[in-house]
Amino acid sequence: MPLPFLTADRAFDEAAGDVALPFDDRDRWRRPYRPGPWRVGAAALLLLLASYVLVAAVIITFAGKPSGGAACGALAALVIVSALRLLRVGAWVSAKGLRHVRFFLTRTVPWAQVAAARTVQQPVRWLGLPRTVQGQALVLVRKDRPGEQEPLLTTHDADFLARIEAFDRAADSVEAWAYEYQRR
């Protein structure tokens, strides 16, 4: 039985030729790189922990302590939300501007405020911990704060640790977005 929707050599519809693809929407926020294995692994471990806490909540509830089960359920919900937020951390771009998402804070800078986005060699934090090592960082220089350089991505964060090529591609992509939208 042929499955034409699964083959790469099928002919495209002529009517759908001029329709923009879903990823062509530049107004949607997108991360120009994939989350790294450290970030995905940490989120997976948090979700695994949440599943055990949810099982404990069910057992505690059926054992006759509904308040304890509710507390365990609330803790599991908090762990799930933390795992999902951990996956959202990073630099996001759209036609509106550049968004730097951290665990507790999200800051959006319109392209009109961006003076430069460039890669520099500097001490960077290792996996977000206080320990610093020598590495590269993609920094954002804003027009309203010309002396400050806010690091968006580093070679030693959870997305790019031991993945220098991925950092270079991501930094080049964000720099290209900044260059394109600064000129508008």
Side-chain angles (χ1 to χ4, degrees), residues 43-93:
L45 287 176
L46 284 174
L47 290 173
L48 183 66
L49 174 68
S51 68
Y52 286 123
V53 174
L54 281 173
V55 168
V58 169
I59 291 170
I60 291 171
T61 302
F62 284 136
K65 299 281 186 177
S67 62
C72 279
L75 177 64
L78 181 68
V79 171
I80 291 170
V81 167
S82 297
L84 294 176
R85 184 63 183 183
L86 183 64
L87 289 173
R88 299 270 308 163
V89 170
W92 296 72
V93 292

Side-chain angles (χ1 to χ4, degrees), residues 1 6 15 22 25-26 30 32 38-39 41-42 53 67 78 99-100 111 113 120 126 136 139-141 144 149 177 179:
M1 174 172 77
L6 294 178
D25 186 12
R26 292 192 162 271
R30 70 185 79 209
W38 288 90
R39 185 174 310 283
V53 174
S67 62
L78 181 68
R99 181 172 283 175
H100 187 203
W111 291 117
Q113 297 269 334
V120 296
W126 185 76
Q136 291 182 344
V139 295
L140 172 69
V141 180
D144 56 345
Q149 293 184 350
W177 274 78
Y179 179 76

Side-chain angles (χ1 to χ4, degrees), residues 154-167:
T154 68
T155 53
H156 289 79
D157 66 6
D159 290 322
F160 303 110
L161 188 64
R163 298 175 58 219
I164 301 298
E165 297 85 18
F167 171 79

Side-chain angles (χ1 to χ4, degrees), residues 23-46:
F23 56 83
D24 283 341
D25 186 12
R26 292 192 162 271
D27 289 330
R28 291 188 61 175
W29 289 101
R30 70 185 79 209
R31 185 185 352 226
Y33 57 92
R34 292 181 178 159
W38 288 90
R39 185 174 310 283
V40 173
L45 287 176
L46 284 174

Side-chain angles (χ1 to χ4, degrees), residues 87-147:
L87 289 173
R88 299 270 308 163
V89 170
W92 296 72
V93 292
S94 80
K96 299 175 186 103
L98 181 69
R99 181 172 283 175
H100 187 203
V101 178
R102 295 186 219 153
F103 193 75
F104 291 113
L105 179 70
T106 299
R107 181 172 296 149
T108 303
V109 180
W111 291 117
Q113 297 269 334
V114 175
R118 61 177 176 256
T119 305
V120 296
Q121 189 85 9
Q122 69 180 27
V124 296
R125 298 172 107 194
W126 185 76
L127 289 177
L129 299 171
R131 178 177 177 229
T132 60
V133 294
Q134 192 64 27
Q136 291 182 344
L138 175 70
V139 295
L140 172 69
V141 180
R142 297 174 56 169
K143 289 180 182 175
D144 56 345
R145 300 178 192 161

